[in-house]
């Protein structure tokens, strides 16, 4: 059992280095266990439904595969999508696909949704929520888009850009949570963790 001064450990069900860095910034004890969950979803699902379902799938995949004495742990799953004209823009398949995606996004507003799921490894109790951020990209020339794609940064990013990297230079403004666009809305996560007795600020 944990004593009153200890926090429950976190298991991050993700291989994303960005999510790992973000959760580390909260100074909570955590470990990473990849989920390998199926990420296929019906085409008629809403963005809100999609990210919440995928976040829960990732957390459940880790929960069901847990071994040993980890009943005190809280499992966190998360999923982020970029939506333009009600179409989900995933990760580009190649450089040409990244250029096409950025050509569509440039000069326009799009939406970024991130779902967050938490599961109590001891009881199986779970909660899931999401955040939305509106992002407006600058008008970009073909040369600038090509130069950005050539940096290699878009290759594994939903929407083909990274707001926390060189891609920040492409963004005009955002409305909502910045960390949501990176991949893990920390304000939402901290609120959810409080429901499981985990506090970012101790002594509450």
């Amino acid at each position: 059992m944990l004593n009153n001064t200890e926090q429950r450990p976190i298991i991050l069900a993700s291989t994303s280095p960005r999510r790992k860095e973000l959760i580390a910034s909260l100074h909570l004890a955590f470990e990473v266990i990849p989920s390998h969950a199926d990420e296929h979803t019906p085409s008629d699902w809403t963005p809100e439904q999609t990210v919440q379902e995928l976040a829960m799938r990732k957390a459940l995949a880790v929960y069901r595969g847990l071994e040993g004495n980890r009943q005190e742990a809280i499992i966190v799953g998360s999923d982020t999508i970029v939506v333009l004209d009600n179409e989900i823009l995933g990760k580009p398949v190649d450089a040409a696909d990244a250029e096409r995606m950025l050509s569509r996004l440039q000069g326009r507003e799009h939406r970024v949704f991130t779902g967050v799921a938490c599961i109590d490894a001891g009881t199986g109790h779970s909660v899931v929520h999401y955040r939305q951020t509106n992002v407006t990209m600058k008008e970009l020339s073909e040369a600038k888009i090509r130069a950005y794609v050539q940096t290699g940064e878009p290759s594994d990013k939903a929407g083909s850009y990274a707001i926390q990297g060189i891609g920040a230079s492409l963004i005009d403004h955002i409305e909502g949570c910045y960390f949501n666009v990176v991949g893990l809305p920390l304000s939402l996560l901290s609120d959810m963790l409080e429901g499981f007795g985990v506090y970012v600020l101790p002594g509450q």
Side-chain angles (χ1 to χ4, degrees):
M1 296 293 292
L2 299 178
N3 63 44
N4 292 335
T5 63
E6 294 177 313
Q7 292 275 27
R8 303 181 68 179
I10 307 297
I11 295 175
L12 179 63
S14 174
T15 56
S16 166
R18 295 166 293 281
R19 292 195 179 105
K20 182 178 178 181
E21 290 173 2
L22 288 176
I23 202 168
S25 70
L26 297 179
H27 300 286
L28 298 173
F30 77 99
E31 64 176 308
V32 173
I33 299 180
S35 67
H36 306 300
D38 175 22
E39 297 190 30
H40 291 91
T41 58
S43 59
D44 60 347
W45 278 12
T46 65
E48 298 89 339
Q49 187 177 7
T50 299
V51 292
Q52 290 183 95
E53 170 66 22
L54 291 179
M56 184 59 75
R57 280 188 200 174
K58 292 176 181 180
L60 279 172
V62 170
Y63 171 65
R64 290 167 178 160
L66 278 184
E67 298 177 355
N69 185 21
R70 283 193 166 106
Q71 285 81 9
E72 298 292 348
I74 304 300
I75 303 163
V76 176
S78 185
D79 189 79
T80 301
I81 60 173
V82 172
V83 179
L84 179 70
D85 297 332
N86 295 316
E87 178 186 346
I88 294 175
L89 303 183
K91 298 175 182 178
V93 296
D94 54 26
D97 191 32
E99 289 186 20
R100 284 193 295 270
M101 217 176 287
L102 290 166
S103 294
R104 292 182 61 192
L105 292 170
Q106 65 88 25
R108 301 184 61 194
E109 180 183 82
H110 61 273
R111 298 176 293 162
V112 179
F113 295 83
T114 297
V116 179
C118 295
I119 301 178
D120 187 318
T123 67
H125 172 66
S126 65
V127 294
V128 61
H129 295 293
Y130 77 94
R131 280 285 182 271
Q132 173 185 334
T133 301
N134 296 338
V135 180
T136 300
M137 193 171 282
K138 296 175 182 177
E139 293 187 2
L140 305 172
S141 65
E142 290 183 7
K144 182 166 284 189
I145 290 173
R146 188 173 303 111
Y148 176 59
V149 171
Q150 288 173 353
T151 68
E153 188 175 82
S155 63
D156 64 340
K157 311 296 190 303
S160 299
Y161 73 93
I163 196 171
Q164 74 279 11
I166 303 170
S169 66
L170 311 181
I171 304 304
D172 184 75
H173 65 275
I174 71 171
E175 297 177 16
C177 175
Y178 163 81
F179 298 106
N180 187 55
V181 186
V182 181
L184 189 63
L186 296 179
S187 176
L188 173 62
L189 175 62
S190 63
D191 288 345
M192 293 173 68
L193 289 174
E194 286 184 11
F196 293 88
V198 177
Y199 297 91
V200 174
L201 297 173
Q204 295 185 68

